[in-house]
């Protein structure tokens, strides 16, 4: 792929949506200074949400995402092309979050600040939806990190078991087992939600 060059000899930013992800990654490896920034623009929101769902706190999510992006930037030449670039970046983010959790060793307080929650579309159900979201968030963080990563990928991000197995680097049976255990624990944690009297 040829990149645009201005008269000063420096390449200009790609037009959004012009090259594919794999073309951008290859251009980055070849030295195109704007290629990785365009990849980041395309996928940062997804990667940030992934980090927020895996890390225990907003601060850990931000640090993990930064570590992951630096890692992806440095190791782009090792990308083999046997998955989507977004999936490759997703895997790096998940691994960075899990590495940070292991380094922290002790579980830290969960940050569930209101600004991380979307504005409710219907004001009549806003409080109830927020309560459910907060309870689900708390319940997710009672799970072991490996179970949380699996159930987030399959149940919240809509990935298949096979795709999740590739992302996490484990067998499909392991993904199924982790999801089953996670769902059981979540059901136990969220039992109160089944009683309409406990909802506002």
């Amino acid at each position: 792929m040829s990149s645009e060059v201005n008269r000063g000899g420096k390449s200009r930013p790609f037009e959004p949506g012009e090259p594919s992800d794999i073309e951008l990654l290859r251009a980055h490896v070849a030295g195109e200074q704007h290629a990785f920034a365009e990849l980041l623009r395309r996928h940062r929101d997804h990667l940030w949400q992934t980090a927020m769902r895996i890390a225990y706190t907003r601060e850990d999510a931000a640090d993990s995402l930064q570590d992951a992006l630096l890692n992806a930037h440095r190791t782009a030449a090792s990308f083999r092309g046997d998955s989507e670039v977004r999936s490759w970046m997703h895997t790096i983010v998940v691994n960075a979050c899990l590495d940070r959790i292991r380094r922290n060793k002790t579980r830290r307080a969960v940050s569930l600040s209101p600004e991380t929650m979307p504005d409710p579309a219907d004001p009549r159900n806003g409080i109830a939806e927020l309560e459910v979201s907060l309870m689900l968030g708390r319940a997710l963080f009672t799970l072991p990190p490996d179970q949380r990563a699996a159930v987030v990928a399959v149940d919240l991000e809509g990935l298949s078991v096979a795709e999740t197995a590739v992302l996490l680097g484990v067998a499909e049976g392991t993904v199924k087992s982790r999801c089953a255990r996670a769902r059981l624990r979540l059901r136990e944690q969220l039992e109160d939600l089944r009683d309409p009297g406990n909802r506002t």
Side-chain angles (χ1 to χ4, degrees):
M1 179 186 67
S2 61
S3 56
E4 294 183 66
V5 178
N6 62 22
R7 293 184 179 180
K10 295 181 180 180
S11 55
R12 298 183 301 187
F14 289 107
E15 289 296 322
E18 180 187 349
S20 68
D21 286 353
I22 186 64
E23 287 173 328
L24 283 172
L25 195 65
R26 288 171 179 163
H28 163 66
V29 172
E32 166 56 57
Q33 63 179 345
H34 298 292
F36 195 82
E38 171 62 15
L39 269 178
L40 181 57
R41 185 196 67 79
R42 291 181 184 181
H43 302 299
R44 186 180 182 100
D45 287 347
H46 166 76
L47 298 175
W48 171 243
Q49 288 302 318
T50 297
M52 283 291 292
R53 287 168 171 164
I54 302 298
Y56 283 121
T57 68
R58 187 180 183 89
E59 292 74 22
D60 278 349
D63 290 343
S64 297
L65 181 60
Q66 182 178 23
D67 290 346
L69 294 177
L70 286 172
N71 187 17
H73 189 275
R74 294 190 193 111
T75 63
S78 67
F79 178 70
R80 295 174 301 190
D82 50 4
S83 65
E84 296 291 332
V85 173
R86 173 168 150 152
S87 297
W88 173 72
M89 296 176 78
H90 177 109
T91 301
I92 294 175
V93 171
V94 170
N95 287 336
C97 291
L98 296 177
D99 286 345
R100 185 165 292 271
I101 289 171
R102 284 190 285 266
R103 287 199 302 271
N104 288 342
K105 293 184 181 177
T106 58
R107 210 174 94 186
R108 298 162 63 180
V110 178
S111 174
L112 289 170
S113 53
E115 62 266 19
T116 67
M117 307 301 297
D119 292 330
D122 185 351
R124 294 171 300 175
N125 297 324
I127 295 176
E129 289 175 1
L130 181 58
E131 285 185 349
V132 171
S133 296
L134 289 172
M135 290 183 73
L136 177 58
R138 292 190 189 103
L140 278 172
F141 284 98
T142 67
L143 300 175
D146 57 350
Q147 292 180 23
R148 187 166 69 253
V151 81
V152 162
V154 174
D155 291 343
L156 297 183
E157 297 185 356
L159 299 180
S160 69
V161 169
E163 290 169 330
T164 301
V166 172
L167 287 176
L168 300 180
V170 297
E172 291 184 27
T174 301
V175 172
K176 293 178 181 178
S177 176
R178 289 178 181 177
C179 284
R181 291 197 299 270
R183 290 167 188 149
L184 179 61
R185 291 189 63 168
L186 288 174
R187 264 197 302 273
E188 294 171 352
Q189 292 286 330
L190 301 173
E191 189 66 34
D192 287 345
L193 288 179
R194 297 185 180 183
D195 182 357
N198 290 334
R199 304 182 195 177
T200 57

